[in-house]
Amino acid sequence: MNAQYPVARPRRLRRTAAMRRMVAGTRLHPAELILPMFVKEGIAEPQPVGSMPGVVQHTRESLRKAAHEAAEAGVGGIILFGIPAHKDARGSGADDPDGIVQVALRDLASDLGDALVLMTDTCLDEYTDHGHCGLLTADGEVDNDATLERYASAAVAQAAAGSRMIAPSGMMDGQVGAIRAALDANGFAEIPILAYAAKYASGFYGPFRDAAECAPQFGDRSAYQQDPAGPIGEALREVRLDLAEGADAVMVKPALAYLDILRQVRDTVDVPVAAYQVSGEYAMVEAAAANGWIDRERVIMESLIAIRRAGADMILTYWATEVARGLS
């Protein structure tokens, strides 16, 4: 039996900063942080994202500088999202060897080597003129199986340009298997896949769609992303399917509103688990802090600790470089 008050006093281990630091059960390390970055074709200067204070659409040169700063701070990886100058129904820029992400990858691979992990989002929504994550049928539905071919081609193009981890985010059935087969067949068997395995149709993505210029021109993505009120166990089913298809790590997105899902996934799998602290989470903190309603730095750290405590081995966060500097 455990002692009871007054013999038991849990506050003894919380009285000083040194004591709290010594017994902390959850810690953050810069290498666990992944910085999402946007690079846009055809701009001369970085373009601020109005709904995400401090985040910009980068030029190739400003991207190189920001990526170097992230590596210097000890950030574990960066994940690239591209905004092409031209969009079409097929999302042709996604696998164009001279597309903006592929060009930027070659820049970064040359600059940084293995200083951090270069990752790429593999989807079509930034590249299609309709804003959906896949090819459309004649009646406007996303064609799951035809889209898989485009994902596979994009993944190979990204790997050839220097991506060291492919992260498919479109929530198409079979996407991991199609990408794994294509990578293996084209000499990239060593490239791992981080699957967006449990990605929800969330209202927290709004600012991201400003940054990536990828809002759907009609409808929404509820037919392929998970329903926040969906069946219990659906997320774990998606995770198991992705692992069976060859995923090397899995992701839950968004993070804070889905900590219960993150915990279930962490308790179920024996691969690394990532969580994406998405644009809406970022924007709410920045907006509240700008109004003086919260302590910005304290809330940032508290939110990241919560995600880590729930089971994330890696956290995608727009504060990655800032937090990594603070931790160092």
Side-chain angles (χ1 to χ4, degrees):
M1 292 182 62
N2 293 329
Q4 300 297 315
Y5 174 83
V7 175
R9 293 180 181 267
R11 286 182 55 198
R12 291 175 185 138
L13 298 179
R14 302 196 291 262
R15 289 187 62 251
T16 68
M19 184 72 74
R20 293 190 296 273
R21 187 168 59 246
M22 184 180 73
V23 302
T26 304
R27 302 180 192 274
L28 280 174
H29 189 279
E32 298 162 352
L33 305 177
I34 298 166
L35 176 64
M37 304 183 79
F38 304 94
V39 58
K40 184 172 180 177
E41 189 174 20
I43 58 174
E45 299 290 337
Q47 301 296 307
V49 179
S51 56
M52 298 179 70
V55 174
V56 301
Q57 296 173 322
H58 284 287
T59 66
R60 285 173 60 187
E61 286 308 310
S62 70
L63 179 76
R64 296 171 87 159
K65 181 177 184 293
H68 177 78
E69 291 171 353
E72 198 171 52
V75 169
I78 62 175
I79 183 166
L80 284 184
F81 299 86
I83 304 105
H86 172 72
K87 302 188 180 193
D88 58 29
R90 296 185 68 255
S92 299
D95 59 346
D96 182 350
D98 294 320
I100 183 59
V101 162
Q102 281 71 256
V103 170
L105 277 169
R106 290 193 288 270
D107 290 341
L108 297 180
S110 173
D111 291 350
L112 299 173
D114 290 326
L116 45 64
V117 179
L118 295 179
M119 304 167 59
T120 40
D121 175 79
T122 306
C123 194
L124 295 183
D125 55 337
E126 301 107 295
Y127 304 96
T128 56
D129 53 12
H130 49 73
H132 278 284
C133 296
L135 304 183
L136 301 181
T137 64
D139 59 0
E141 295 286 333
V142 173
D143 188 331
N144 188 99
D145 293 3
T147 298
L148 299 184
E149 298 178 17
R150 299 291 299 128
Y151 286 2
S153 182
V156 170
Q158 292 169 354
S163 179
R164 291 297 171 258
M165 180 174 279
I166 302 296
S169 62
M171 289 299 286
M172 297 296 121
D173 295 336
Q175 64 184 17
V176 172
I179 289 171
R180 182 75 273 157
L183 291 173
D184 292 356
N186 285 274
F188 299 111
E190 78 283 0
I191 299 297
I193 297 173
L194 167 60
Y196 285 67
K199 179 179 178 181
Y200 286 84
S202 172
F204 285 94
Y205 301 150
F208 175 91
R209 292 171 183 171
D210 294 338
E213 299 181 11
C214 63
Q217 297 303 299
F218 62 90
D220 58 29
R221 297 179 179 135
S222 298
Y224 41 102
Q225 296 176 355
Q226 285 183 234
D227 182 358
I232 295 174
E234 182 182 33
L236 293 182
R237 184 187 184 202
E238 292 276 10
V239 166
R240 292 187 183 104
L241 286 168
D242 282 353
L243 291 174
E245 291 174 21
D248 299 280
V250 295
M251 187 194 302
V252 175
K253 180 182 179 184
L256 280 179
Y258 296 87
L259 294 181
D260 58 327
I261 302 299
L262 177 58
R263 183 73 259 169
Q264 290 178 43
V265 172
R266 175 68 283 164
D267 288 344
T268 300
V269 305
D270 57 2
V271 299
V273 176
Y276 198 144
Q277 187 178 52
V278 299
S279 60
E281 299 171 55
Y282 175 92
M284 288 191 300
V285 172
E286 292 290 351
N291 278 283
W293 297 335
I294 59 171
D295 181 328
R296 177 180 177 276
E297 287 72 24
R298 183 174 179 179
V299 170
I300 289 171
M301 290 303 298
E302 187 174 344
S303 66
L304 291 169
I305 286 291
I307 296 166
R308 186 77 176 85
R309 188 176 64 243
D313 302 296
M314 303 173 286
I315 303 175
L316 286 73
T317 175
Y318 300 96
W319 290 304
T321 300
E322 176 185 344
V323 171
R325 285 175 178 151
L327 293 172
S328 298

